[in-house]
C-alpha cells in the first residue's frame, strides 16, 4: 500500500466561494477517493488562508474584528465542502494556534540559517493577490500583471528572504524532474521566469497587523504567502517530527489554479530548500472556469454559487459537470445552459435511463433476480472487453490527473452499454420462452456492466454510485468482470430527473441572495 498526500490551495475567506474555487477541491476529492479505492493510504488536506491585508480590509468594511469575520465565512466554506461531499482528512486554518507557532519557528530557523536580512522595501503591492511587484516587473503601468487591478505603492522597513540564493538549485531541480511542474506548458513558463533572475523576497509587513508576528521583531507581521504556503507541512505537525509528517511528506501533489503556480514552484520550493526539507513531488496547475468567457468573480451573481447549484441539481451533477466539461489543465467555459444540457444528456439520458431500463426489465422478466454463468455471444464479449478496458484506461487517466478524459472514457462505455440493449433487443427475446436463458445472460451482462460503471464513477460521483449499488444490491468496487454473480434488483429513486432548460434558466437568472 502506497501513501498519497494531496492538497488543495487554502482559500481566502474573503467572501463566499464560487464554483471556480470549488473546482480545485472537487478535483482533489475525486483523486483522493480514487487513490483510497485503489488501496493507498491517503491524506487529503484543505483549509483557509486567513491573514493578510485583504482580509483585514474586508473585516473593517463589514465592521467586524478579523477573527470574527473569518470565523463566519469559514463556517460557510466547511458547509460547502459538506454539501459537495468532500472527503478531506484535515482542514487547516492559518489562525489555528499550532500553525501560528510553527510559522514563528520556521521564520526563526530561516534567520538562524542566515537566509533572512532586514532592508527597506520600495515597490508596489497588489492587495487582492497579496503580491509584491518591482518597478521593472510593472513597466509603465501601475496595475498588477496578474489580475490587472491597481497596485499601491509601498515603502517600508522589511525582512527579506534570500530567495535569489536558491535560483540555480531550483532550475536544476525543475530541469531534472520533468514531473515537478505539470502541465509542461506551466513548467516552461516557470523556468523562463526563474531564469530571468530571482530577486529576494520581502517577507514581512509593518503597515497592518492582521498576521503572524515576526518572532524577533514584533512590529512586523509575516508576509501572508509565506504563512500560507507552509500550511502544507504545519498541517502534518512540522516542525515536530510527527508520525504524520514522517508518513506523508513529501506531498505527492499540490493541486493549484494556474494563477498561483508561481508561488508554489518558486517561493515554496526555495523555502523548503532553506529549511532542508524535501520538495513536493508535483505541483499540478489546472485552468480556470470562465463565466461567459470572462473571469469569474464573487460579484457577478450567485448563479455560480455551488451551494445553490448543488441544492437544485445535486452535488454529483455539479461535480460531474465541472470535471467533465473542461480538460483538466486548460480553461473552459461555465454556463448554466451548458451545465443543464450536460446533466440532461449524459446523466439523465445516458446513465439514468440505462440503470432504470435495466432494473425495470430485470424486475419484469425475472422477478428481480438474475444469475450469470450463461453462454456469451460475440456482442457480449465485445461488451466485456470494453468494460475492462474502460477500467484500465480511466484509472490511468485519473493517475495522470486527466479527469475529463477519464469521464469521457467511462461515458463511452455507458453509451456502449445502452447500445448493447438495442443490439440484443431483450423485449423481443422476452416473447419467446425458448430464449429465456439468452435473455437472462443479457440481463446479467447489463447488471454487471452497471456495477462496473458505478465502481468507475464512484470517485467522481460517490452519491450516485451508492444509489446504483442499492438498486442492483451489489456494492462491490472490484474492477474485474464476474461471470458467475447474481443480482437482485430493486427500483429506486430516479438518478437524475430531466431538467426543463427554459424554466430553470429563468429561475436561475432570478435568484438573488
Ligand atoms: N489563498 C491563496 C492560496 C494559498 S495556497 C498556499 C488563494 N486563494 S483563493 O481563494 O483566491 O483561490 C484559491 C484557488 O481557487 C486557486 O487555486 C485559484 O486558482 C482557484 N480559482 C479561483 N477562481 C477560479 C476559477 N474561476 N476557476 C478555477 N479556479 C479558480 O489564491
Amino acid at each position: 500500500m502506497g501513501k498519497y498526500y494531496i492538497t488543495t490551495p487554502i482559500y481566502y475567506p474573503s467572501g463566499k466561494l464560487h464554483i471556480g474555487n470549488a473546482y480545485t477541491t472537487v478535483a482533489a476529492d475525486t483523486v483522493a477517493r480514487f487513490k483510497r479505492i485503489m488501496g493507498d493510504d491517503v491524506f487529503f488536506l484543505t483549509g483557509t488562508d486567513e491573514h493578510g491585508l485583504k482580509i483585514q480590509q474586508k473585516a473593517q468594511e463589514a465592521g467586524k474584528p478579523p477573527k470574527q469575520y473569518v470565523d463566519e465565512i469559514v463556517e460557510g466554506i466547511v458547509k460547502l465542502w459538506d454539501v459537495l461531499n468532500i472527503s478531506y482528512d484535515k482542514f487547516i486554518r492559518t489562525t489555528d494556534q499550532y500553525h501560528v507557532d510553527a510559522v514563528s519557528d520556521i521564520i526563526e530557523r530561516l534567520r538562524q540559517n542566515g537566509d533572512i536580512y532586514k532592508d527597506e522595501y520600495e515597490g508596489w503591492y497588489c492587495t487582492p493577490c497579496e503580491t509584491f511587484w518591482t518597478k521593472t516587473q510593472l513597466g509603465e503601468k501601475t496595475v498588477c500583471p496578474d489580475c490587472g487591478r491597481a497596485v499601491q505603492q509601498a515603502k517600508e522597513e522589511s525582512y527579506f528572504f534570500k530567495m535569489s540564493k536558491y535560483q540555480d538549485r531550483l532550475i536544476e531541480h525543475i530541469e531534472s524532474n520533468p514531473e515537478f511542474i505539470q502541465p509542461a506548458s506551466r513548467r516552461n513558463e516557470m523556468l523562463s521566469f526563474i531564469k530571468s533572475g530571482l530577486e529576494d523576497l520581502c517577507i514581512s509587513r509593518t503597515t497592518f497587523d492582521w498576521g503572524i508576528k515576526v518572532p524577533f521583531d514584533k512590529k512586523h507581521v509575516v508576509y501572508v504567502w509565506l504563512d500560507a504556503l507552509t500550511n502544507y507541512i504545519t498541517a502534518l505537525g512540522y516542525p515536530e517530527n510527527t508520525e504524520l509528517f514522517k508518513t506523508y511528506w513529501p506531498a505527492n501533489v499540490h493541486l493549484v489554479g494556474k494563477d498561483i503556480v508561481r508561488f508554489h514552484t518558486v517561493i515554496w520550493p526555495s523555502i523548503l530548500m532553506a529549511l532542508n526539507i524535501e520538495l513536493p513531488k508535483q505541483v499540478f496547475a489546472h485552468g480556470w472556469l470562465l463565466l461567459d468567457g470572462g473571469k469569474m468573480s464573487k460579484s457577478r451573481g450567485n448563479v455560480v454559487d455551488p451551494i445553490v447549484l448543488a441544492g437544485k441539481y445535486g452535488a454529483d451533477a455539479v461535480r460531474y459537470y465541472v470535471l467533465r466539461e473542461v480538460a483538466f489543465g486548460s480553461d473552459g467555459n461555465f454556463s448554466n445552459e451548458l451545465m443543464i444540457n450536460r446533466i440532461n444528456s449524459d446523466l439523465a439520458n445516458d446513465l439514468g435511463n440505462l440503470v432504470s431500463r435495466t432494473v425495470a426489465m430485470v424486475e419484469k422478466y425475472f422477478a428481480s433476480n438474475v444469475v450469470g454463468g450463461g453462454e456469451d455471444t460475440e456482442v457480449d464479449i465485445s461488451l466485456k472487453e470494453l468494460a475492462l478496458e474502460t477500467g484500465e484506461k480511466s484509472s490511468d487517466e485519473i493517475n495522470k490527473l486527466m479527469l475529463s478524459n477519464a469521464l469521457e472514457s467511462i461515458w463511452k462505455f455507458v453509451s456502449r452499454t445502452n447500445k448493447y440493449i438495442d443490439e440484443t433487443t431483450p423485449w423481443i427475446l422476452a416473447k419467446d420462452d425458448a430464449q429465456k436463458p439468452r435473455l437472462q445472460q443479457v440481463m446479467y451482462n447489463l447488471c454487471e456492466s452497471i456495477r462496473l460503471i458505478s465502481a468507475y464513477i464512484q470517485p467522481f460521483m460517490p452519491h450516485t454510485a451508492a444509489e446504483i449499488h442499492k438498486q442492483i444490491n451489489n456494492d462491490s468496487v472490484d474492477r474485474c468482470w464476474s461471470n458467475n454473480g447474481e443480482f437482485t434488483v430493486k427500483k429506486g429513486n430516479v438518478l437524475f430527473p430531466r431538467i426543463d432548460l427554459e424554466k430553470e434558466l429563468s429561475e436561475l437568472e432570478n435568484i438573488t441572495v
Side-chain angles (χ1 to χ4, degrees):
M1 189 167 82
K3 70 90 201 168
Y4 192 81
Y5 179 27
I6 181 166
T7 66
T8 71
I10 48 172
Y11 297 89
Y12 289 128
S14 55
K16 267 206 289 189
L17 298 191
H18 54 62
I19 190 85
N21 306 121
Y23 181 54
T24 323
T25 305
V26 165
D29 182 64
T30 299
V31 178
R33 285 176 182 273
F34 173 76
K35 295 283 182 183
R36 283 190 205 108
I37 295 169
M38 290 299 156
D40 279 352
D41 168 13
V42 172
F43 194 79
F44 170 21
L45 177 71
T46 191
T48 39
D49 181 2
E50 305 186 6
H51 294 123
L53 180 57
K54 183 166 78 175
I55 303 276
Q56 179 167 317
Q57 286 173 345
K58 286 271 177 187
Q60 256 156 15
E61 282 164 26
K64 292 176 183 163
K67 182 64 168 65
Q68 184 191 333
Y69 176 78
V70 293
D71 278 350
E72 288 168 13
I73 296 183
V74 170
E75 207 177 295
I77 295 177
V78 170
K79 179 173 163 224
L80 170 63
W81 299 154
D82 212 34
V83 167
L84 289 177
N85 235 322
I86 305 300
S87 62
Y88 56 83
D89 294 292
K90 182 165 178 137
F91 190 105
I92 184 171
R93 300 184 57 177
T94 53
T95 51
D96 288 338
Q97 194 57 44
Y98 70 88
H99 173 80
V100 173
D101 293 343
V103 170
S104 297
D105 188 287
I106 287 168
I107 300 287
E108 192 58 63
R109 279 170 200 241
L110 294 175
R111 185 175 72 132
Q112 278 167 15
N113 288 349
D115 275 331
I116 287 185
Y117 63 91
K118 197 175 189 178
D119 203 345
E120 179 156 275
Y121 177 78
E122 190 168 2
W124 301 82
Y125 197 72
C126 173
T127 309
C129 295
E130 302 279 17
T131 310
F132 293 101
W133 297 106
T134 61
K135 190 75 204 120
T136 346
Q137 287 169 318
L138 292 184
E140 288 309 300
K141 301 197 192 112
T142 48
V143 295
C144 170
D146 271 356
C147 73
R149 284 173 281 204
V151 286
Q152 275 78 42
Q153 196 150 27
K155 184 173 180 183
E156 54 189 284
E157 183 188 72
S158 297
Y159 287 96
F160 284 79
F161 166 58
K162 287 187 186 165
M163 194 157 74
S164 57
K165 182 173 144 188
Y166 297 95
Q167 172 170 332
D168 294 342
R169 264 176 75 189
L170 197 52
I171 293 173
E172 158 35 47
H173 184 84
I174 297 172
E175 286 182 335
S176 52
N177 293 279
E179 293 297 305
F180 179 58
I181 307 177
Q182 282 293 324
S185 53
R186 302 285 165 213
R187 181 176 69 240
N188 298 336
E189 236 172 76
M190 286 306 117
L191 263 179
S192 56
F193 174 80
I194 300 166
K195 284 179 177 170
S196 73
L198 282 191
E199 305 203 10
D200 289 346
L201 179 73
C202 179
I203 53 149
S204 77
R205 311 280 325 259
T206 49
T207 47
F208 65 93
D209 62 1
W210 178 236
I212 299 175
K213 301 257 178 296
V214 169
F216 43 83
D217 191 344
K218 302 263 161 69
K219 278 203 314 289
H220 293 249
V221 293
V222 176
Y223 173 42
V224 66
W225 269 101
L226 178 62
D227 166 354
L229 286 162
T230 57
N231 92 89
Y232 300 129
I233 53 174
T234 65
L236 300 179
Y238 183 86
E240 304 301 328
N241 196 18
T242 57
E243 270 312 306
L244 273 184
F245 186 70
K246 279 191 283 190
T247 309
Y248 295 108
W249 192 259
N252 293 71
V253 61
H254 293 316
L255 216 56
V256 300
K258 63 176 186 178
D259 51 320
I260 56 172
V261 183
R262 194 161 43 85
F263 300 93
H264 284 80
T265 58
V266 180
I267 301 181
W268 180 223
S270 313
I271 295 167
L272 287 168
M273 283 175 182
L275 293 171
N276 214 2
I277 298 176
E278 244 184 289
L279 304 194
K281 293 190 179 145
Q282 184 168 86
V283 175
F284 188 99
H286 65 70
W288 273 32
L289 290 187
L290 303 171
L291 190 62
D292 303 324
K295 204 172 168 207
M296 201 172 273
S297 92
K298 285 159 188 158
S299 54
R300 290 184 71 179
N302 77 337
V303 285
V304 290
D305 180 342
I307 293 200
V308 171
L309 298 178
K312 276 179 150 297
Y313 313 120
D316 280 5
V318 174
R319 291 172 64 111
Y320 176 80
Y321 172 68
V322 293
L323 296 182
R324 174 69 180 81
E325 192 66 28
V326 183
F328 205 60
S330 318
D331 288 349
N333 228 349
F334 176 91
S335 86
N336 292 320
E337 186 170 349
L338 284 172
M339 182 178 69
I340 292 171
N341 284 337
R342 269 241 178 252
I343 297 175
N344 279 341
S345 71
D346 298 8
L347 302 180
N349 272 0
D350 296 351
L351 179 63
N353 280 346
L354 171 65
V355 174
S356 66
R357 277 163 91 192
T358 303
V359 168
M361 288 191 288
V362 176
E363 283 186 341
K364 183 167 165 200
Y365 301 142
F366 291 96
S368 301
N369 185 272
V370 282
V371 291
E375 236 170 79
D376 278 332
T377 64
E378 218 171 283
V379 65
D380 302 345
I381 294 167
S382 94
L383 180 77
K384 276 187 198 179
E385 276 171 4
L386 189 64
L388 297 178
E389 220 178 278
T390 302
E392 275 175 33
K393 188 156 185 281
S394 61
S395 297
D396 187 49
E397 287 162 335
I398 301 175
N399 280 323
K400 292 184 183 140
L401 300 180
M402 295 161 64
L403 302 179
S404 54
N405 301 70
L407 283 173
E408 205 179 315
S409 303
I410 298 168
W411 253 256
K412 276 195 185 130
F413 181 57
V414 172
S415 300
R416 176 69 192 87
T417 313
N418 273 317
K419 194 163 148 239
Y420 177 84
I421 301 184
D422 301 337
E423 287 168 345
T424 54
T425 56
W427 53 94
I428 297 178
L429 296 174
K431 289 189 181 137
D432 179 358
D433 263 359
Q435 294 285 5
K436 202 90 191 176
R438 174 66 193 142
L439 181 60
Q440 171 142 242
Q441 184 65 1
V442 167
M443 286 299 131
Y444 176 80
N445 286 342
L446 278 172
C447 289
E448 184 63 0
S449 298
I450 288 173
R451 182 189 69 75
L452 281 169
I453 290 167
S454 72
Y456 300 157
I457 64 171
Q458 198 187 41
F460 296 92
M461 298 193 276
H463 177 77
T464 307
E467 182 60 33
I468 296 177
H469 284 149
K470 240 179 16 205
Q471 298 196 20
I472 59 172
N473 191 25
N474 187 328
D475 63 359
S476 159
V477 289
D478 187 282
R479 295 185 162 224
C480 298
W481 182 284
S482 158
N483 284 311
N484 293 301
E486 178 173 357
F487 290 96
T488 307
V489 304
K490 188 166 187 292
K491 196 164 181 260
N493 301 330
V494 173
L495 294 180
F496 296 96
R498 243 197 112 69
I499 302 169
D500 180 334
L501 179 67
E502 297 305 320
K503 186 171 149 269
E504 283 297 316
L505 283 182
S506 74
E507 260 186 55
L508 284 171
E509 289 296 311
N510 291 327
I511 290 176
T512 45
V513 194

